[in-house]
Amino acid sequence: MTTNSGSIARLLALGIVFHLVYIGTVFDCYFTSPVVHGMRQHKLPQAQAKRLVLIVGDGLRSDFVFSANTSLIVPGAPERVAPYLRDIVERRGAYGVSHTHVPTESRPGHVAIIGGMYEDVSAVTKGWKTNPVNFDSVFNQSSHTFSFGSPDILPMFVQGATPGRVEGWSYHEDDEDFTKDATALDIWVLDQLKSLFRNATTDNELDARLRAPQVVFFLHLLGLDTTGHSYRPHSKEYMNNIRVVDDIVRETEQLMSGFYGDQETSYIFTADHGMSRIGNHGDGDPDNTRTPLIAWGAGIRGPIHDPSFSHLQDDYSAPWELSHVMQRDVEQADVAALMSALLGTYWPVNSVGVLPDVDPTRVGYLNMRGGEREVAEAGVVNAKVMLEHYRVKHELKKAHAILYRPYESLDHPSSVLEYPGSQRISFIESLITVGRFREARHHSHELITTTLGGLRYLETYDRTLIRSIVTFAYTGWIAFSATFILAPSQPPPSSSITLWIPLLFNLSTVSFCALFAVQRLPWTLHIYILFPFYFWQHVARTVFANRSALHVHKVDLTWIVGTTLGLLLSIAGLQSMVFGYTNRVIWSIGFVVIGLGWPLTSWPNGMRRFFLPWAASCLQTAVFPLLRVDPSESLAAIMTGGVCMLVAGELAAREVSGMEAVVPARVRKHSFRFTFWVQLLLTALSMLVTADSVRSLQAKLGLPLLNQVMGWMIFLLASLLPFLLSTPRTAEGRLLTYFLSFCPCFVVLSIRSEGLFYLSYCMTLYLWTRVEEAVRQKEVKQAAPANVSEYGLRWNPRRLSGDDVRIALFFLFFVQVGFFGTGNVASISSFYLEPVYRLVPVFSPFLMAALLLFKILAPFVFLSAAFATLNARLGMPPFALFLVALSLTDVMTMTFFFNVTDTGSWLQIGQSISHFCITSLLLVLSAGIASIGEALMRDTALRDPSGKHNEEAPNIIASPYNGVIHTLLSRGSKESNITKRNTKTRIQGSIPSPI
């Protein structure tokens, strides 16, 4: 097989498509959509309340609401930050913690509360304000719903509901300004509710709608979420916003009592998600998944006081000093079932919530008028709703699955007139008839639990099949990509191999697709199955074509031991990176190993001058993964990073200018000293603007318009400058140019030490290129000097060396360290938002996310340049080292796929999804790094081992520390003298193809 740029491009394109497509396997396997249609509806015959008020404090943590003394959490805060809500808990209502599911975002949280279902995890990416799937809700089952709040939440319940049943009043998106007092958003909601009641005094039709039974009022209070993002939860601003919400709850209850003049209103207060210490949410952090639930009013029991409840308190709830009051925790979807029971409406047809009162061994929330009988009847209704889910899904699977096996724990009558579990429903109803209510509740609870198990059984029915396909595909990709490195040829077109191998694999592919079609499995499985058969077909053809070469190859004990040891070390390195996703200290240990262990054990003689700079740089970079991922904003640290970048940039610019001077005149077209000065000036300006913006925002004066305009101008100009102007011809000069272009970015978008990380990271990468070049030259000269070309040892793909694999592992290590340097790779939510407000003060989720991603990806520009430089200086063809890395990445991907879980803690669920998606995209990112590096270093005059400059050398990239470190490494060496001499020597010939 002959590999050229075209075949490599096709390989990369296929790899990118494959990995992007296979991200969907995690959702098809572990998180299928729960929404089905065709269920019969059920409801209680009698309502407990005429109306219901649902108040959601967006982003409210449960520990702050229930805390006995919040001044211990936030110094200066009042002792009772929510006195009215706490008084309800102790005197009039029931309370507990509502546990949310990932992703802990506003949309899925509200769907769970109001729809009673846990939305397909992938649905959060399909739309912010519209329904990616049609689902039923408590609002849609009400006689009328009046909703007030954010334009990001309300429309998704208005759209798709029965026309005219759900009305919504929202403020404008521009009002969601993170630099202003967000309590105004919550006060606006209360004002709109007041206006509604005032209008009813003169509008008879509105008054009639308001006084109808089964009316719902929904108050969405976004202020807490906005304040938490801006100032973080452990702040006086967040505490003050809780006080405002507490006052709104009190005034809302007064408005209801004043307008209706009765006691027929139920109140539910909760939150869609919590908030982590750094002011973010979205992942499975426990502070994101625990929200308050307080219920009071019509149909709700009062508090149950008993000192013996103290043994039920855990470490989380002990500081609340509520051990004398019964606490009843629920799942978030259970709230919808509770609201349906209170209103007497039909349960939402997609609800999987369990009414807390069904379990007779635990105290619930209801105080039903019909007493124990009605509670038992509510349990039957809840069980019927669950069975409807199972019935529909069971019938769908039974109709199409081959050799279908139903859920054994649930009875499946043979009569088509009966549905699964119908006999047990009849038995429970007979218990209610004879007055055995507690026993009926017990059997209802058991049936609900069994049915939920059946639903899970059906949802995971095809999991083994999908896991097998994924394993077959990823191992196929590893083998397929390896053939581009190891296999010398493909079978000729006339070979018999080209006839029966494709026929066999194509027949298998068609057979699997036919089976999928018969069983009506998701259409995505038809796409998934195409990749593994294509990969293994190619591998089989290549192996058969090269079987003679395999027989000739000498296999002895030394080769077996060496290969086995290398394989084990590679797997150990990759699995260490897997552990690094949950334990950041692994990355620091990795820097110690490559900074100290590698030089002391593997470096050849004559490398002593590299040891101290390399070890110091690695150990310095090792500090950053050890730092907390939730630091507070520090203007001093930001400015320190800026100053260090300026000093390093100036020293490097002086050295690089000298290097440019020795480039042949016909190659050097400009003096780039002025360009460097402009880049340094932009960095200095970014420091001045950022310092003023931070002071203004911290003083709650908002973001000055001039600062916002200047910030954007500096940010864009600095980032685009290297692409607008001509760049230096030396590798060092171009690396410096690209390094300086992102320095303003790391000033404007930093919260603490990101600028210092960027500096240290780039220094280590540049040193890596110099060290690897020196190591390869020393080894080659010691082993076989005759094989040394002007670029070093020519790469023989049939004799893949251990160094090639090690370099590829180092590359993967540096790619992932780029994430861990400024945040926790487990979730994008761990990257704090405060710096974004210096450019975007108004809520704009996509622009904010784009800025965060820009900062995260900026260091990889330098990595791409350094990697391309290293590839060229080792005398390898473009993408040669990347092809080695290509065959290693999916060892990590498969590990993370099998580690994905949809059970256990919410933290585990959220992290497992994030880890798989990140490693799946690792090839895409790595391919981009390799491609961008080659493009950015185009037409670079590469310094060869003799110190000469070659204007026709392969492409390379630029860094900031090149000049500084070059001076440190070359001081006193012959190489330093050579590089300062002008030479017109050109290296003739081209680098051979890798395969």
Side-chain angles (χ1 to χ4, degrees):
M1 179 174 65
T2 302
T3 301
N4 51 37
S5 59
S7 61
I8 292 178
R10 289 191 294 272
L11 174 68
L12 295 181
L14 178 61
I16 290 173
V17 171
F18 165 62
H19 284 80
L20 289 176
V21 169
Y22 260 63
I23 287 179
T25 58
V26 74
F27 299 108
D28 285 327
C29 185
Y30 297 99
F31 304 97
T32 55
S33 175
V35 177
V36 291
H37 303 284
M39 287 84 75
R40 296 182 290 255
Q41 292 184 291
H42 299 278
K43 70 173 182 176
L44 284 171
Q46 183 177 354
Q48 308 303 311
K50 288 185 177 180
R51 68 200 67 90
L52 182 140
V53 179
L54 172 64
I55 304 175
V56 176
D58 200 308
L60 177 60
R61 293 167 52 128
S62 56
D63 53 345
F64 289 178
V65 175
F66 298 134
S67 176
N69 189 352
T70 50
S71 64
L72 298 178
I73 302 174
V74 179
E79 181 178 354
R80 295 282 193 272
V81 73
Y84 189 75
L85 288 169
R86 186 177 177 91
D87 181 74
I88 292 173
V89 169
E90 294 187 300
R91 295 174 180 269
R92 295 190 289 140
Y95 89 103
V97 173
S98 172
H99 293 283
T100 71
H101 286 199
V102 292
T104 48
E105 295 286 354
S106 293
R107 178 195 166 82
H110 283 89
V111 170
I113 294 170
I114 301 167
M117 54 169 273
Y118 297 110
E119 193 173 33
D120 175 11
V121 176
S122 63
V124 74
T125 65
K126 299 177 183 177
W128 284 86
K129 303 173 186 177
T130 58
N131 297 334
V133 292
N134 292 321
F135 60 89
D136 198 9
S137 70
V138 174
F139 294 172
N140 191 48
Q141 297 300 331
S142 67
S143 63
H144 205 87
T145 294
F146 301 90
S147 57
F148 311 89
S150 169
D152 303 309
I153 298 300
L154 268 57
M156 70 180 183
F157 294 102
V158 175
Q159 183 174 340
T162 302
R165 181 164 294 180
V166 183
E167 293 187 64
W169 289 266
S170 302
Y171 36 77
H172 196 273
E173 292 179 351
D174 292 341
D175 293 330
E176 300 176 20
D177 193 329
F178 289 94
T179 66
K180 296 180 180 179
D181 186 0
T183 59
L185 302 177
D186 298 339
I187 295 173
W188 182 92
V189 170
L190 179 63
D191 290 340
Q192 296 304 305
L193 180 63
K194 292 178 179 178
S195 297
L196 181 72
F197 288 139
R198 282 198 304 268
N199 294 338
T201 60
T202 58
D203 188 336
N204 293 333
E205 182 181 352
L206 174 60
D207 184 72
R209 294 205 308 271
L210 287 171
R211 296 187 185 278
Q214 299 181 338
V215 172
V216 175
F217 296 89
F218 173 42
L219 277 61
H220 176 241
L221 307 180
L222 182 65
L224 283 165
D225 186 74
T226 305
T227 302
H229 287 318
S230 301
Y231 301 100
R232 303 192 182 190
H234 292 77
S235 65
K236 294 180 180 179
E237 291 79 7
Y238 190 82
M239 295 299 176
N240 178 64
N241 207 144
I242 297 178
R243 289 295 300 268
V244 172
V245 169
D246 190 64
D247 291 339
I248 290 175
V249 173
R250 175 177 52 80
E251 291 193 47
T252 299
E253 188 171 5
Q254 292 174 354
L255 282 172
M256 291 291 167
S257 299
F259 183 81
Y260 291 105
D262 59 27
Q263 301 297 318
E264 298 296 325
T265 306
S266 298
Y267 299 89
I268 302 290
F269 178 84
T270 187
D272 53 346
H273 55 76
M275 189 165 288
S276 64
R277 292 183 61 90
I278 64 174
N280 289 339
H281 54 85
D283 59 9
D285 188 295
D287 289 327
N288 294 338
T289 64
R290 294 182 291 216
T291 60
L293 175 62
I294 305 174
W296 71 100
I300 305 294
R301 67 165 174 84
I304 300 176
H305 298 273
D306 190 335
S308 65
F309 294 153
S310 59
H311 74 280
L312 301 175
Q313 300 289 308
D314 55 20
D315 293 338
Y316 178 68
S317 58
W320 302 347
E321 297 182 9
L322 290 172
S323 59
H324 59 288
V325 182
M326 170 60 74
Q327 174 183 334
R328 180 65 163 93
D329 293 355
V330 301
E331 301 294 315
Q332 194 171 47
D334 299 346
V335 178
L338 177 61
M339 291 191 292
S340 297
L342 289 169
L343 286 171
T345 60
Y346 286 108
W347 252 258
V349 294
N350 303 113
S351 173
V352 293
V354 180
L355 194 63
D357 298 74
V358 174
D359 186 356
T361 63
R362 302 183 63 188
V363 177
Y365 280 77
L366 294 175
N367 180 22
M368 307 189 83
R369 296 170 180 173
E372 284 293 313
R373 172 181 288 276
E374 202 161 0
V375 174
E377 291 174 348
V380 176
V381 171
N382 203 163
K384 289 180 178 179
V385 172
M386 296 293 187
L387 284 171
E388 279 298 304
H389 271 270
Y390 180 83
R391 180 185 64 82
V392 172
K393 292 186 176 181
H394 161 74
E395 291 176 354
L396 288 173
K397 182 61 65 176
K398 181 180 179 181
H400 306 294
I402 298 176
L403 302 177
Y404 171 68
R405 293 178 298 170
Y407 187 56
E408 294 181 356
S409 299
L410 200 60
D411 57 298
H412 296 79
S414 57
S415 173
V416 296
L417 300 178
E418 295 181 313
Y419 55 87
S422 59
Q423 296 177 359
R424 297 174 68 173
I425 289 291
S426 300
F427 173 70
I428 296 171
E429 290 176 337
S430 67
L431 291 176
I432 296 176
T433 302
V434 297
R436 297 162 62 179
F437 306 127
R438 187 174 181 84
E439 188 176 351
R441 289 169 60 190
H442 173 74
H443 285 282
S444 294
H445 185 259
E446 280 192 342
L447 179 55
I448 290 173
T449 303
T450 301
T451 307
L452 287 173
L455 287 172
R456 176 162 181 79
Y457 170 79
L458 293 176
E459 290 169 359
T460 61
Y461 191 84
D462 300 316
R463 184 167 293 185
T464 301
L465 171 64
I466 298 175
R467 283 175 170 174
S468 301
I469 294 174
V470 168
T471 303
F472 192 38
Y474 280 121
T475 54
W477 169 255
I478 293 173
F480 175 76
S481 58
T483 60
F484 276 75
I485 304 172
L486 303 175
S489 65
Q490 285 185 341
S494 60
S495 173
S496 61
I497 296 174
T498 61
L499 299 177
W500 69 266
I501 289 183
L503 179 63
L504 175 63
F505 280 92
N506 291 337
L507 181 61
S508 300
T509 305
V510 173
S511 300
F512 270 91
C513 288
L515 287 174
F516 296 163
V518 170
Q519 299 183 77
R520 297 193 180 181
L521 294 175
W523 62 269
T524 50
L525 265 65
H526 295 263
I527 298 178
Y528 297 153
I529 200 64
L530 298 178
F531 289 98
F533 280 117
Y534 175 80
F535 295 153
W536 284 111
Q537 176 190 153
H538 180 92
V539 172
R541 295 177 63 199
T542 305
V543 169
F544 274 93
N546 295 277
R547 58 188 182 277
S548 59
L550 294 176
H551 291 302
V552 173
H553 182 71
K554 181 181 180 181
V555 178
D556 52 21
L557 181 62
T558 302
W559 182 88
I560 294 175
V561 173
T563 302
T564 302
L565 182 61
L567 181 62
L568 292 177
L569 289 175
S570 299
I571 294 176
L574 291 168
Q575 293 304 309
S576 297
M577 296 183 206
V578 169
F579 293 134
Y581 277 64
T582 53
N583 190 350
R584 286 164 52 86
V585 72
I586 295 295
W587 307 108
S588 297
I589 295 174
F591 273 114
V592 174
V593 171
I594 67 176
L596 296 178
W598 176 45
L600 294 176
T601 59
S602 303
W603 279 14
N605 297 328
M607 294 282 295
R608 185 175 304 172
R609 65 190 178 91
F610 287 94
F611 177 74
L612 286 180
W614 172 248
S617 180
C618 287
L619 294 178
Q620 175 180 305
T621 313
V623 172
F624 294 96
L626 299 177
L627 301 179
R628 294 179 56 171
V629 296
D630 58 343
S632 58
E633 189 174 45
S634 173
L635 182 58
I638 297 172
M639 294 298 106
T640 300
V643 170
C644 290
M645 286 187 284
L646 285 174
V647 173
E650 166 58 20
L651 293 176
R654 293 181 182 179
E655 184 67 24
V656 168
S657 296
M659 293 180 181
E660 287 288 323
V662 301
V663 175
R666 66 180 181 278
V667 176
R668 186 182 73 254
K669 298 180 180 179
H670 304 284
S671 173
F672 296 97
R673 184 66 176 166
F674 175 75
T675 302
F676 296 148
W677 271 108
V678 171
Q679 292 182 304
L680 293 172
L681 177 62
L682 290 174
T683 302
L685 288 175
S686 69
M687 294 171 62
L688 295 175
V689 173
T690 299
D692 189 63
S693 297
V694 169
R695 284 191 290 264
S696 179
L697 292 172
Q698 290 179 347
K700 303 177 187 177
L701 301 177
L703 178 66
L705 179 60
L706 178 61
N707 286 23
Q708 184 179 10
V709 173
M710 288 292 295
W712 274 109
M713 290 179 62
I714 295 170
F715 181 83
L716 294 176
L717 182 60
S719 302
L720 296 176
L721 190 63
F723 308 100
L724 299 176
L725 303 177
S726 57
T727 54
R729 294 301 304 275
T730 61
E732 284 76 9
R734 197 163 291 187
L735 286 171
L736 177 60
T737 301
Y738 291 123
F739 165 79
L740 292 176
S741 67
F742 294 104
C743 287
C745 162
F746 275 88
V747 173
V748 176
L749 295 179
S750 290
I751 192 172
R752 199 175 185 90
S753 59
E754 296 96 310
L756 294 172
F757 164 75
Y758 179 57
L759 187 64
S760 179
Y761 184 69
C762 293
M763 178 186 297
T764 305
L765 289 175
Y766 175 69
L767 276 171
W768 183 43
T769 66
R770 298 294 308 278
V771 166
E772 292 286 5
E773 179 186 13
V775 168
R776 183 62 62 92
Q777 291 170 12
K778 291 291 183 182
E779 289 179 344
V780 170
K781 289 179 181 178
Q782 292 176 7
N787 292 330
V788 181
S789 71
E790 291 128 326
Y791 284 97
L793 180 65
R794 294 188 184 276
W795 192 45
N796 184 348
R798 302 190 201 181
R799 296 292 183 268
L800 186 66
S801 70
D803 267 351
D804 296 326
V805 177
R806 178 187 52 73
I807 293 171
L809 288 173
F810 278 18
F811 169 68
L812 295 177
F813 175 82
F814 283 122
V815 168
Q816 292 164 100
V817 166
F819 287 101
F820 279 90
T822 57
N824 183 2
V825 76
S827 171
I828 190 69
S829 69
S830 66
F831 296 92
Y832 21 78
L833 293 174
E834 286 99 320
V836 179
Y837 305 150
R838 302 168 196 162
L839 296 176
V840 186
V842 178
F843 180 65
S844 178
F846 295 108
L847 182 56
M848 289 177 168
L851 288 172
L852 284 176
L853 288 173
F854 183 88
K855 186 181 77 169
I856 295 168
L857 296 177
F860 297 123
V861 173
F862 187 82
L863 173 60
S864 65
F867 192 57
T869 303
L870 176 62
N871 195 91
R873 283 182 171 170
L874 294 185
M876 294 183 173
F879 296 100
L881 288 173
F882 172 71
L883 289 177
V884 182
L886 200 65
S887 300
L888 301 174
T889 56
D890 283 334
V891 175
M892 296 176 60
T893 307
M894 282 193 296
T895 301
F896 281 123
F897 180 83
F898 285 101
N899 285 343
V900 171
T901 177
D902 57 349
T903 59
S905 72
W906 293 276
L907 178 61
Q908 292 171 329
I909 297 172
Q911 286 186 340
S912 66
I913 300 172
S914 300
H915 294 166
F916 172 75
C917 292
I918 289 170
T919 52
S920 295
L921 294 172
L922 190 61
L923 178 137
V924 180
L925 178 61
S926 301
I929 289 173
S931 301
I932 292 173
E934 296 294 333
L936 292 177
M937 302 310 289
R938 183 180 296 115
D939 300 327
T940 301
L942 180 66
R943 176 182 49 78
D944 66 27
S946 68
K948 303 173 183 179
H949 284 87
N950 176 19
E951 62 187 271
E952 298 177 353
N955 305 335
I956 311 172
I957 261 190
S959 158
Y961 291 95
N962 297 356
V964 178
I965 301 175
H966 174 77
T967 303
L968 293 175
L969 296 181
S970 60
R971 182 174 296 167
S973 68
K974 181 179 179 181
E975 181 186 28
S976 177
N977 297 326
I978 295 176
T979 54
K980 293 179 181 179
R981 292 201 309 262
N982 187 4
T983 177
K984 297 184 179 180
T985 304
R986 296 178 59 186
I987 300 174
Q988 304 295 329
S990 60
I991 298 177
S993 172
I995 297 175

